[in-house]
Amino acid sequence: MGGVLAGFALVGTIILIGYLAGRSGVAGPHAGPVLSRIAFFITNPALLFTVLATSELHAIFSALVPVAFAAAVLTCLIYWGLSALWFPRKGAETVVGAMAGSYVNANHIGIPVAIYAIGNATPVAPVLLVQLLVLSPLFLLLLDLTTGQTPTLKSLVAQPVRNPMIIASFLGAVTAWTGLELPPLIWDPLKVLGGAAVPLVLMAFGMSLPGSRPLRSGGTRTEVLVATGLKAVVMPALTYVLARYVFGADAGQTFAAVIMSALPTAQNVFLFSSRYTRGAAVARDAILLTSVAAIPAVLLATLLLGR
């Protein structure tokens, strides 16, 4: 527990520095987005590659992949059920709300949280693969169908394979599976770049916070609060039950799966909602609220699971 608290204190300090930098304008108005793009295209892929290239793949992928998929699907179904009974909305808005309650920020926040709460970033990869290879194309298909657009097979297939973190994860897995040892001239720069992933992501997130005011739109408060509750409480609880009693995961895998499921809503949800002009307020507010709720959720999971 002490290590997790120290990790969150470190994470919080870097986010605060990013917030102050963003609020003061010391790095310019575009610093946050630039740091996010550098992390997305360079440092995060480097970190995922180096982590997976030295990991025991069979121990990680055996349980975490089906757990991540099942927990996300069940959480979506719960949201859809509550929406139908309590706050009916149009199809696209319901899709965005369900995504906000189940699609975790494994790309950015997941890496530093995994490092400080679990001890390494390996559990991020299976969650990332499930979301980008399965859930993301599915959500995009549903958004296409509910907004009157016609999805194409090419767009669905190309969407995940264009993601640099998927490519890096795949190459890292292949490297671990084959036992290939890269020369220091290649490996050392990748390690250094991967080491920059966590501070860049946290700084960029802190820079995005000035001016954020959740729940400004009264008409979406119910959806935001339901999505936040599902993301911060229900999904981690479902993950524990699935990992422990359905898929037979051991204590370490269960802990990793719960921590990953307690991550905040991914920024991709806002990107998708903006692209389809549906549910943007729900996505934006859920991202901010779940980012705050993730801290007690992860600490509680750590306390209850005895890590």
Side-chain angles (χ1 to χ4, degrees):
M1 176 64 74
V4 176
L5 289 172
F8 269 115
L10 177 60
V11 168
T13 300
I14 299 175
I15 291 175
L16 177 61
I17 293 172
Y19 171 82
L20 295 175
R23 189 171 182 83
S24 65
V26 66
H30 306 297
V34 169
L35 289 182
S36 294
R37 289 181 63 82
I38 292 173
F40 183 82
F41 286 101
I42 300 175
T43 58
N44 278 12
L47 178 59
L48 285 172
F49 175 83
T50 55
V51 166
L52 285 175
T54 55
S55 66
E56 296 290 338
L57 296 181
H58 68 278
I60 296 298
F61 285 86
S62 59
L64 293 189
V65 167
V67 169
F69 176 75
V73 170
L74 288 175
T75 304
C76 284
L77 292 176
I78 292 173
Y79 182 91
W80 271 314
L82 292 175
S83 177
L85 295 173
W86 190 6
F87 48 94
R89 295 291 187 267
K90 294 181 179 179
E93 282 79 2
T94 303
V95 172
V96 171
M99 197 177 184
S102 62
Y103 199 96
V104 306
N105 194 338
N107 289 359
H108 296 132
I109 303 299
I111 290 177
V113 168
I115 288 175
Y116 293 120
I118 301 171
N120 63 82
T122 306
V124 172
V127 176
L128 189 66
L129 292 173
V130 167
Q131 292 192 157
L132 294 179
L133 292 178
V134 181
L135 297 179
S136 182
L138 178 60
F139 280 123
L140 289 174
L141 174 62
L142 291 173
L143 285 170
D144 280 338
L145 294 175
T146 54
T147 55
Q149 302 187 42
T150 303
T152 65
L153 179 61
K154 180 180 179 181
S155 65
L156 294 175
V157 171
Q159 191 271 334
V161 299
R162 287 199 303 261
N163 189 292
M165 283 180 284
I166 284 291
I167 297 171
S169 297
F170 173 76
L171 294 176
V174 170
T175 302
W177 179 61
T178 59
L180 177 67
E181 292 188 9
L182 297 178
L185 187 62
I186 297 176
W187 181 260
D188 292 345
L190 289 174
K191 287 286 291 184
V192 173
L193 286 170
V198 172
L200 281 182
V201 165
L202 296 177
M203 286 280 290
F205 179 70
M207 290 178 179
S208 71
L209 295 180
S212 298
R213 294 173 56 195
L215 302 178
R216 283 178 296 178
S217 301
T220 63
R221 287 177 181 172
T222 302
E223 294 99 309
V224 171
L225 293 176
V226 169
T228 300
L230 288 174
K231 182 74 229 41
V233 179
V234 176
M235 190 173 178
L238 281 174
T239 299
Y240 175 80
V241 173
L242 290 168
R244 198 66 174 165
Y245 300 109
V246 177
F247 294 99
D250 60 32
Q253 290 176 324
T254 300
F255 177 69
V258 172
I259 293 298
M260 290 295 97
S261 69
L263 293 172
T265 301
Q267 293 176 349
N268 280 352
V269 179
F270 182 74
L271 294 178
F272 291 166
S273 66
S274 299
R275 171 182 169 184
Y276 288 89
T277 64
R278 299 290 193 280
V282 174
R284 180 196 62 232
D285 290 356
I287 290 169
L288 183 57
L289 292 181
T290 56
S291 296
V292 175
I295 297 176
V298 170
L299 291 176
L300 181 60
T302 303
L303 177 64
L304 293 178
L305 297 179
R307 294 295 297 260

